[in-house]
Amino acid sequence: MPHNEPTIAEAIRASGRRLTIQRAKILEALHRLPGHSTAERIHAAVCEDDRDVEMALSTVYRNLDALAEMGLIAAFADGGVTTYEWAAAGHPHHHLQCDGCGHTKEVALESIAALSDEVERTYGFTIDLRHMAIRGTCAGCRKPADDGGAR
Amino acid sequence: MPHNEPTIAEAIRASGRRLTIQRAKILEALHRLPGHSTAERIHAAVCEDDRDVEMALSTVYRNLDALAEMGLIAAFADGGVTTYEWAAAGHPHHHLQCDGCGHTKEVALESIAALSDEVERTYGFTIDLRHMAIRGTCAGCRKPADDGGAR
DNA sequence: GTTCGTACCGCGAATATTAGCAATAGCGTG
DNA sequence: CACGCTATTGCTAATATTCGCGGTACGAAC
């Protein structure tokens, strides 16, 4: 990925931030690592990949937060641990997170648009679709007899 | 609240759990405290209210988790801190959480039904509406001139 | 009412993440 | 290319929450 960096650099610069070596490494690692990655995993990946760059774990956390805030990456809670993924992962997808087995499934939902529209119109609130994590119970974890009946 | 306890006790018993003094106190405190409460606040409330019951903070956390799991209370992340509220708080409401100011607004959304329906039909996944926290940016925090265009 | 199995409690240590501080290094300017 | 402003870094301490362990007590069965 030699020549798509400039765009990212501009985006970072545009938000009044700086493109530090650490930030670049983190982005790169996140771009390369498959699926969702934890802060610790990213830290390890960067340290393994490049030995001449010092990187504190807190720096990883801070950057992950900043990058998520500017929309370059997506963050969401995954059972006590926060995981991150490259935001430009092709198509927009949402997460169905099962409280039973803890598994997270990525799906594309049409109804989200209507929901986003309603919230926008009624409350002037703009939903961040990248952070849309839906919790509930998947088909496998729903016990046959157990009918929560919760609304 | 002298005589509505039996139902709750049954619900707790039904899930193979026991109605301990601590659990009851926590439920009671949560029922009485207005709005969302943190584990620490609940712990403080119980300790102030009753001096003859010892209660470790970890016990509060454990019970909060258990009670949320069985649907008696609702839990959701509120900026690094988890808050809880009585589940039978009248009407169903969802949370619009602003990433800018961190404020959480409680609203009723019609489109949620359609979303829930789609997810149920397409993936056999049952959304837990009580845990439905929607993140984004509220009208106040969306700067008029600053259009990041980072979408 | 006594007994018994086990869920639960309190305590303290572990884990994930955030915050504060002095030193460093982007990057726009002269 | 050196200079300066300040965002950022590494470090360490704090914070929120979870886990493991040995002792306790809930609740069901005698």
Side-chain angles (χ1 to χ4, degrees):
Chain A
M1 65 230 62
H3 293 306
N4 61 335
E5 307 274 21
T7 313
I8 294 175
E10 284 170 20
I12 291 178
R13 215 84 59 69
S15 67
R17 273 170 249 251
R18 294 171 184 175
L19 179 59
T20 63
I21 298 175
Q22 290 85 347
R23 196 161 282 170
K25 297 281 182 198
I26 290 173
L27 263 174
E28 188 185 8
L30 204 43
H31 191 200
R32 187 181 23 179
L33 289 172
H36 306 150
S37 310
T38 65
E40 217 157 355
R41 185 173 180 182
I42 294 167
H43 181 241
V46 171
C47 288
E48 284 176 12
D49 184 50
D50 247 307
R51 212 58 65 83
D52 25 59
V53 179
E54 294 290 313
M55 174 104 63
L57 191 53
S58 59
T59 296
V60 177
Y61 276 107
R62 241 179 326 217
N63 274 313
L64 251 21
D65 195 51
L67 292 170
E69 193 172 299
M70 74 177 90
L72 290 176
I73 66 178
F76 59 97
D78 197 3
V81 185
T82 305
T83 59
Y84 300 83
E85 77 179 337
W86 188 252
H91 51 81
H93 57 277
H94 315 109
H95 298 101
L96 297 184
Q97 192 170 4
C98 177
D99 285 330
C101 57
H103 185 70
T104 298
K105 181 171 189 172
E106 305 182 12
V107 299
L109 300 171
E110 298 179 14
S111 311
I112 290 280
L115 173 65
S116 176
D117 203 46
E118 180 188 356
V119 173
E120 182 81 52
R121 224 174 16 213
T122 313
Y123 305 99
F125 187 95
T126 306
I127 297 181
D128 186 348
L129 294 177
R130 275 186 300 263
H131 291 181
M132 196 73 186
I134 300 173
R135 296 178 55 181
T137 309
C138 70
C141 286
R142 184 165 24 165
K143 299 161 193 163
D146 178 292
D147 177 26
R151 189 160 323 280
Chain B
M1 69 224 58
H3 293 305
N4 60 338
E5 307 272 21
T7 314
I8 294 175
E10 284 170 20
I12 291 178
R13 217 81 61 70
S15 66
R17 274 170 248 250
R18 293 171 184 174
L19 180 59
T20 64
I21 299 175
Q22 290 84 349
R23 193 161 284 171
K25 296 283 183 197
I26 289 173
L27 262 174
E28 187 185 9
L30 203 44
H31 191 200
R32 187 181 22 176
L33 289 172
H36 305 149
S37 310
T38 66
E40 218 157 353
R41 185 173 180 181
I42 294 167
H43 181 241
V46 172
C47 288
E48 284 176 12
D49 185 50
D50 247 307
R51 212 58 66 84
D52 26 59
V53 179
E54 294 289 314
M55 174 105 62
L57 191 53
S58 58
T59 296
V60 178
Y61 277 107
R62 239 177 326 214
N63 274 314
L64 251 21
D65 194 51
L67 292 171
E69 193 172 298
M70 74 179 88
L72 290 176
I73 66 178
F76 57 97
D78 197 2
V81 186
T82 305
T83 60
Y84 300 83
E85 76 178 337
W86 188 251
H91 52 79
H93 57 276
H94 316 107
H95 298 101
L96 297 184
Q97 190 169 4
C98 177
D99 285 331
C101 56
H103 184 71
T104 298
K105 181 171 190 172
E106 304 182 12
V107 300
L109 300 170
E110 298 179 13
S111 311
I112 290 280
L115 174 65
S116 178
D117 202 47
E118 180 187 357
V119 173
E120 182 81 52
R121 223 174 17 210
T122 312
Y123 304 99
F125 187 95
T126 306
I127 296 182
D128 186 348
L129 294 176
R130 275 187 301 263
H131 290 181
M132 194 74 186
I134 299 174
R135 297 178 55 182
T137 308
C138 71
C141 285
R142 188 169 14 168
K143 299 162 194 164
D146 180 294
D147 179 26
R151 181 119 320 158

